[in-house]
């Protein structure tokens, strides 16, 4: 009890109105916000937006759906196993809409397999809306958007079972994956599916690279919805993202030079860590 | 309003989180805790909704005698029996705990153990020498494996451990940190896109503005 009281009464160290150590973080947020705003403004006024490189994994999405259409077999989408509070799951939502629309357009069965009840509800709504926007509300089957289990390996077992029974032609996995990444991707590979795997879980990336036809590495999943939308405004936000990366890379170079020239120097650490 | 409502709610919630993370105006303005509580409440409601949904779907399967309807009976029996047991005994109940420890845990461990076999088959494909890159991958992997197995020490002494440590600590870490930097910025940009209302996939629709 005393400990709790001490916790409640402990003064929170601040710098003005800022929480301790958050000034630099806030400056970065603000900086990215400004760059995005500049890019969005440029796109809205019709000015040129720098090109972004082609992402093979995203270019292959339509190819995968096309192949499934030709074979008359379903397309499976798995948005990882984490909930909506994870940015990777939010990135997956951006792709669902595009895939569901394409499936509705070509009358291909679309299966979304979920491990968490919240993404399940969101994906059902996104898919319903996509079918509606494509003028095919009758083709939408709510039974194809499935919540399988919130237990990691029960979910994995269920997905492997669906792979064996329904024999999809394409498997698209975008989101946060753990140990099940290898099992799902390998099973898909045994089945001869065209597979696109993307995650920001660095420990699982090698498995996707080894077992999938196309991989989206880390940040590429966050650019997916903007890339697939082909809207200049959304492209602008990806360019802003690249600019911020350049700034951070420059800071790393400065840090490396300082650490080499003067190993005892704490200038950069004091600036970045002290505020 | 069907789309604007959730959008306004998203913007307000994210502003509250940003404000509470970067600024401090006294304990009463710290709104993170109530927001986290709301998330937990929403999650619990979604679970309850899933429970009802699962019941409705499987009762339908049983009524229509669809293929595999027998498994629907097993599912409903297990689900309701475990729910009732949990409500009677709470989470520390002897039988409630026994079922989890002796059924769920071994089943999960069995599935997890399969990863080893999947990794072996994937590694075989990845390490097949077809290109220059695959050759480099194979050589690095051989050094790392030898450095981490006793046979490596027996063949090359400390050298195998040294090379393994260098590959993992220098080459691997450099690559991973580069990827992590991109991931951090990408996540950040996605959050800003949602906050600014540019990306609307989570509320249905085309996914963009």
């Amino acid at each position: 009890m005393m400990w709790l009281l001490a916790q409640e009464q402990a003064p929170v160290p601040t710098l003005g109105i800022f929480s301790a150590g958050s000034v630099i973080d806030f400056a970065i947020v603000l900086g990215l916000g400004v760059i995005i705003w500049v890019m969005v403004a440029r796109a809205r006024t019709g000015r040129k937006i720098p090109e972004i490189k082609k992402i093979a994994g995203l270019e292959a999405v339509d190819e995968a759906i096309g192949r499934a259409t030709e074979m008359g077999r379903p397309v499976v989408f798995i948005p990882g196993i984490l909930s909506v509070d994870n940015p990777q799951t939010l990135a997956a939502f951006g792709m669902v809409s595009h895939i569901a629309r394409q499936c509705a357009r070509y009358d291909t069965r679309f299966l979304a397999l979920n491990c968490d009840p919240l993404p399940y509800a969101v994906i059902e709504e996104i898919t319903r809306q996509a079918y509606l926007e494509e003028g095919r509300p009758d083709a939408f089957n709510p039974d194809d958007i499935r919540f399988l289990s919130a237990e990691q390996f029960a979910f994995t077992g269920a997905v492997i079972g669906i792979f064996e029974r329904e024999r999809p032609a394409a498997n698209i996995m975008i989101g946060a994956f753990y140990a099940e990444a290898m099992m799902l991707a390998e099973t898909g590979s045994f089945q001869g599916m065209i597979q696109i795997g993307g995650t920001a879980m660095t420990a699982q990336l090698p498995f996707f690279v080894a077992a999938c036809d196309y991989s989206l590495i880390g940040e590429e999943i966050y650019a997916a919805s903007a890339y697939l939308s082909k809207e200049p405004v959304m492209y602008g936000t990806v360019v802003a993202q690249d600019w911020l990366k350049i700034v951070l890379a420059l800071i790393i170079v400065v840090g490396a030079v300082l650490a080499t020239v003067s190993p005892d120097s704490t200038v950069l650490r004091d600036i970045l860590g002290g505020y | 309003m069907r789309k604007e409502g959730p959008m306004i709610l998203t913007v307000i919630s994210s502003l509250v989180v940003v404000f509470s993370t970067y600024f401090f105006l006294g304990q009463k303005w710290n709104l993170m805790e109530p927001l986290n509580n709301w998330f937990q409440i929403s999650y619990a409601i979604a679970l309850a909704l899933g429970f009802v949904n699962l019941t409705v779907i499987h009762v339908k399967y049983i009524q229509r005698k669809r293929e595999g309807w027998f498994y629907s009976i097993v599912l409903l029996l297990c689900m309701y029996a475990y729910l009732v047991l949990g409500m009677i005994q709470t989470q520390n109940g002897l039988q409630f705990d026994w079922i989890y420890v002796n059924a769920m845990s071994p089943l999960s461990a069995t599935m997890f153990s399969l990863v080893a076999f999947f990794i072996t088959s994937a590694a075989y494909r990845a390490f097949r020498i077809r290109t220059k890159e695959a050759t480099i991958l194979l050589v690095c992997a051989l050094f790392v494996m030898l450095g981490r197995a006793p046979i490596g020490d027996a063949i090359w002494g400390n050298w195998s451990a040294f090379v393994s440590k260098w590959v993992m600590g220098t080459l691997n870490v450099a690559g991973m940190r580069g990827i992590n930097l991109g991931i951090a910025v990408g996540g950040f940009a996605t959050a800003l896109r949602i906050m600014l209302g540019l990306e609307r996939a989570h509320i249905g629709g085309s996914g963009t503005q």
Side-chain angles (χ1 to χ4, degrees), chain A residues 48 63 80 90 95 107 144 161 239 271:
Chain A
K48 200 173 181 288
E63 179 195 330
L90 293 174
M95 284 193 78
D107 202 17
D144 284 341
V239 175
I271 293 171

Side-chain angles (χ1 to χ4, degrees), chain A residues 142-196:
Chain A
D143 285 350
D144 284 341
I145 314 299
R146 300 178 191 171
F147 167 65
L148 299 173
S149 170
E151 280 285 334
Q152 182 188 16
F153 289 110
F155 170 76
T156 311
V159 174
I160 290 173
I162 289 168
F163 280 1
E164 296 284 346
R165 286 190 302 274
E166 317 242 358
R167 306 189 73 79
N171 174 27
I172 302 169
M173 298 182 282
I174 306 290
F177 290 89
Y178 289 87
E180 72 288 348
M182 181 82 267
M183 301 163 89
L184 301 179
E186 263 305 277
T187 310
S189 178
F190 291 151
Q191 298 276 344
M193 295 178 204
I194 181 165
Q195 296 199 101
I196 300 167

